[in-house]
Amino acid sequence: MAIQALSTRPARGAALMAQTFGIPIPPPAELRMEDYRANSLNQPPRFRDALRTGVVLLGTGVILPTVQAARITATLGFDWAFIDAEHTPMSPDLMTDLIKTINYYSEGATAAVVRVPTHSHEWMTWALDAGAAAIILPHTETAEQARKAVSNARFGPIGDRSFPPFSQVYGFTDGTPDNKPLLEVYNDNAAIIMQIESDLGAKNAEAIAAVQGIDGIMVGTVDLRLSMRLPMSFGGPEPEFIAAVDAIETAAKRNNLSLIAFGMGPMLEAKARKGYTGLMIAADMLALISGQTAGLTAGRNLMKALREEEKEEKERSTNGVVAQGL
């Protein structure tokens, strides 16, 4: 008996336990990232094409350096997952495992985006070889840095990335659309994003954004402020800070590059209205903190209310006994 292909993905979750624990089920994504997956989940998805749609892609941070947490994150329906290898100590093996966990456990519905720790070619190629949808290069300050990054991340004739002989299981995970050369799939699918987060980077934003082969600019406002000797914050009213952010955003838009940033809480609407199309709106560590403290707060408030109720009941009983005695 032939098995008919499903036109839509069957439901993977049930409502009963989610309702029991008060877990909200998000509405469907505006853009189905499954439609941008490669032939194999071992390869990078067509993240460059997804960015070019202009749809706001909502991401979450994979901050906890554990595959167990990434397995949960991968199933929740975010468009992309931000693996922070810059500020989370991890080995290349763990980074690779996190990328593959996101790819496979999400079944291609969530793209793995890695902020590598440095501009050295090793971390870039390890991430891309593992199937990362994009790499983010932190602390980009000059056009020369950006050109070097593109060269390290792209195979020839575009760049000088070395062929990875052991990244695929030949005959099983290296299939491509219309037998397109595998290295072209890597070049065409994975995005390269420069993070500008310093005063010098802001001054060079136009030159950086004009480098061929870049797909997006991530704006790092906290480090930008620190480099300008301003108080630590995600934003601020200082004219020089506002001008620096505007220079970065203008350069990205002028060169048709996607704008990426953190977009938690009230930052989300403001950045979406400014044209950002890649926004990290949550993080596993923050969810762990907020979820547990919310439960603890609710529990302690309930215990306090019950104690007050019990105290009032005792007072009513005592007053009743006294009244009867009179």
Side-chain angles (χ1 to χ4, degrees), residues 317-326:
S317 298
T318 301
N319 291 338
V321 170
V322 171
Q324 290 175 6
L326 294 175

Side-chain angles (χ1 to χ4, degrees), residues 9 31 49 101 166 189:
R9 187 178 67 186
L31 190 76
D49 289 342
T101 297
F166 310 115
N189 288 10

